[in-house]
């Protein structure tokens, strides 16, 4: 049924201020009623943003329920940077989800005009990919079509968002300010992940033998990656690291030692758009399997100090799943203080999107006990 025009924000958590936003569908999106705290969104995800020591919190996170279908979900994490980074990340957070949905709906309408059996429907967006009956196409072809449509919708939405940031000038100067964006869209058993910049998405999945694995679903778009560096240099940009931080490659203008951007793709950063810093996301698709437990989306404040495996373990060890994102952010902040005592702690934000029912914690514990008893790995 999609997001209604009457979609509303749910009050943010007090200790997260305005950086965390829940959006619910007044028409009933969220499927299944409210959780223990009265927010239906707590049944499917945990969100948290913790301010660091570098100034205003430039991270922003969002959860939208009733996204594209009654039990559809959109969640995203955005890490702003530059003088106006905190405004850019919040603006993108508030606009991008609905730009993506608008683009997807436009593609669906176009498909309806071209074919009486469209690839998507709000009632069952993935039916053709489960039984292969959609228009006679094979399951593999239907899966590819689904990915192609969402990839097109995301690419168009990200490009439109980047152009919107240009329109915001001079009220919002995005010359050297911008944001990352990592988003997960769940439609039935189909999961679409779109990523731009160096925030990250990691999937926790468990094998039949009880082995818990952390699967990285996105690539950190760092300027040190050969393909990213080649594109930037081809467009006249420069890529090099400063002497006092030789492991951090940065992007610089052709004739100026500005701005030293530590990522190769972003929304905003308008002065660098002609020099290879692109707003094009990488989009991936996955069918949710029976062993898939949850996805963690987090800013680089988390990933710079913690491994994928550590983050997954923290979520699994959290007694109440609604506290999982806070546990991840607080653990990352503590790691910053112990590992880099002379450095300022970065903002740390996370979203944990749960793919199993509410007894997921018991399932994890039971599987681990089984693996331990049987000597599994």
């Amino acid at each position: 049924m999609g997001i209604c025009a009457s979609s509303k924000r749910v009050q943010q958590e007090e200790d997260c201020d305005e950086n965390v936003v829940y959006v619910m569908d007044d028409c009933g999106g969220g499927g299944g009623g409210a959780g223990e705290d009265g927010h239906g969104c707590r049944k499917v995800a945990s969100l948290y943003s913790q301010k660091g020591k570098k100034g205003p919190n430039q991270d922003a996170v969002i959860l939208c329920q009733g996204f594209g279908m009654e039990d559809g979900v959109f969640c995203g994490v955005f890490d702003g940077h530059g003088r106006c980074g905190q405004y850019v990340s919040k603006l993108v957070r508030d606009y991008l989800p609905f730009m993506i949905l608008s683009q997807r709906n436009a593609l669906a309408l176009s498909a309806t005009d071209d074919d009486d059996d469209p690839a998507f429907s709000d009632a069952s967006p993935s039916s053709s990919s489960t039984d292969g009956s959609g228009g006679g196409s094979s399951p593999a072809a239907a899966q590819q079509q689904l990915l192609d449509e969402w990839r097109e919708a995301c690419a168009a939405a990200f490009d439109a968002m980047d152009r919107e940031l240009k329109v915001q000038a001079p009220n919002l100067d995005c010359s050297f300010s911008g944001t990352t964006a990592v988003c997960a869209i769940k439609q039935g058993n189909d999961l679409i992940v779109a990523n731009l910049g160096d925030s990250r998405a990691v999937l926790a999945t468990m094998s039949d033998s009880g082995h818990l694995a952390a699967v990285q679903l996105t690539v950190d778009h760092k300027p040190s990656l050969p393909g990213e560096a080649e594109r930037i240099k081809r467009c006249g940009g420069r890529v090099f690291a400063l002497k006092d931080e030789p492991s951090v490659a940065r992007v610089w203008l052709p004739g100026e030692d500005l701005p030293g951007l530590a990522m190769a793709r972003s929304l905003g950063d308008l002065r660098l758009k002609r020099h290879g810093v692109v707003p094009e996301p990488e989009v991936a698709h996955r069918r949710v399997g029976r062993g898939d437990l949850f996805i963690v989306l987090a800013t680089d404040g988390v990933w710079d100090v913690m491994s994928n495996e550590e983050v997954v373990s923290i979520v699994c060890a959290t007694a109440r799943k609604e506290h999982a994102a806070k546990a991840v952010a607080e653990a990352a902040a503590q790691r910053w203080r112990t590992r880099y005592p002379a450095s300022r702690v970065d903002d740390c934000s996370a979203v944990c999107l749960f793919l199993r029912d509410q007894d997921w914690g018991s399932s994890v514990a039971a599987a681990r006990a089984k693996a331990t008893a049987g000597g599994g790995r």
Side-chain angles (χ1 to χ4, degrees):
M1 68 183 183
I3 294 281
C4 301
S6 57
S7 293
K8 64 180 181 181
R9 292 190 183 194
V10 177
Q11 183 178 1
Q12 302 91 346
E13 293 189 30
E14 294 180 0
D15 53 357
C16 290
D17 197 21
E18 76 277 9
N19 297 80
V20 176
V21 166
Y22 304 95
V23 179
M24 297 184 67
D25 186 350
D26 279 346
C27 299
E36 293 180 5
D37 65 350
H39 296 174
C41 52
R42 291 305 183 85
K43 296 175 72 77
V44 298
S46 171
L47 291 74
Y48 193 78
S49 181
Q50 179 157 315
K51 179 180 177 296
K53 299 295 184 181
K54 296 183 177 181
N57 189 348
Q58 295 189 307
D59 289 355
V61 299
I62 192 170
L63 172 72
C64 305
Q65 291 193 248
F67 188 85
M69 58 188 299
E70 186 171 357
D71 63 348
V73 177
F74 174 100
C75 56
V77 171
F78 311 92
D79 184 357
H81 54 263
R83 185 172 60 87
C84 299
Q86 66 269 33
Y87 306 113
V88 179
S89 62
K90 291 179 180 63
L91 184 69
V92 172
R93 173 198 64 193
D94 293 343
Y95 277 74
L96 185 62
F98 307 105
M99 286 183 166
I100 293 174
L101 187 59
S102 177
Q103 292 290 341
R104 195 228 78 161
N105 288 341
L107 289 171
L109 288 174
S110 176
T112 302
D113 292 339
D114 295 339
D115 188 343
D116 291 335
D117 186 16
F120 290 106
S121 70
D122 283 346
S124 180
S126 57
S127 59
S128 63
S129 62
T130 57
D131 57 18
S133 60
S137 62
S138 68
Q143 291 287 326
Q144 186 59 48
Q145 182 178 356
L146 182 145
L147 174 58
D148 289 344
E149 295 240 10
W150 278 107
R151 179 181 285 129
E152 184 177 349
C154 289
F158 274 65
D159 183 66
M161 186 72 250
D162 202 58
R163 285 186 278 110
E164 177 63 25
L165 292 175
K166 296 178 184 178
V167 174
Q168 294 295 321
N171 295 326
L172 183 62
D173 184 2
C174 294
S175 297
F176 295 125
S177 295
T179 186
T180 69
V182 59
C183 311
I185 302 167
K186 189 173 183 292
Q187 304 280 277
N189 286 326
D190 289 304
L191 183 68
I192 298 93
V193 177
N195 180 57
L196 178 83
D198 58 1
S199 294
R200 185 184 302 171
V202 172
L203 170 74
T205 187
M206 184 167 288
S207 68
D208 291 338
S209 64
H211 175 63
L212 183 65
V215 180
Q216 188 168 322
L217 300 178
T218 58
V219 174
D220 300 345
H221 294 135
K222 299 289 190 181
S224 55
L225 294 177
E228 304 294 312
E230 180 182 355
R231 182 188 67 247
I232 291 166
K233 293 175 181 178
R234 189 170 61 247
C235 295
R238 296 180 297 155
V239 177
F240 63 87
L242 298 173
K243 291 182 179 181
D244 58 350
E245 47 177 12
S247 63
V248 182
R250 297 181 180 275
V251 183
W252 310 85
L253 289 171
E256 302 177 71
D257 287 341
L258 293 171
L261 184 66
M263 66 196 70
R265 303 188 191 195
S266 71
L267 291 166
D269 297 301
L270 302 181
R271 287 282 304 276
L272 289 169
K273 280 300 180 324
R274 290 179 296 174
H275 303 295
V277 174
V278 297
E280 180 182 352
E282 287 191 315
V283 183
H285 168 262
R286 181 184 178 95
R287 289 284 286 176
V288 177
R290 65 178 183 176
D292 294 344
L293 300 177
F294 56 86
I295 298 171
V296 179
L297 311 179
T299 57
D300 67 342
V302 172
W303 306 115
D304 282 350
V305 293
M306 304 189 75
S307 69
N308 298 343
E309 291 74 18
E310 286 175 320
V311 170
V312 164
S313 294
I314 288 171
V315 175
C316 288
T318 304
R320 299 179 62 181
K321 69 179 184 179
E322 61 265 32
H323 297 159
K326 183 175 183 179
V328 168
E330 289 184 342
Q334 180 59 40
R335 182 69 62 83
W336 272 93
R337 288 189 287 266
T338 56
R339 180 176 293 181
Y340 304 114
S343 298
R344 292 177 294 172
V345 178
D346 198 2
D347 304 325
C348 298
S349 302
V351 173
C352 300
L353 175 64
F354 301 100
L355 306 175
R356 297 280 295 272
D357 56 25
Q358 286 186 312
D359 66 352
W360 70 277
S362 300
S363 300
V364 169
R368 281 182 164 175
K370 176 182 176 182
T372 302
R377 41 189 188 91

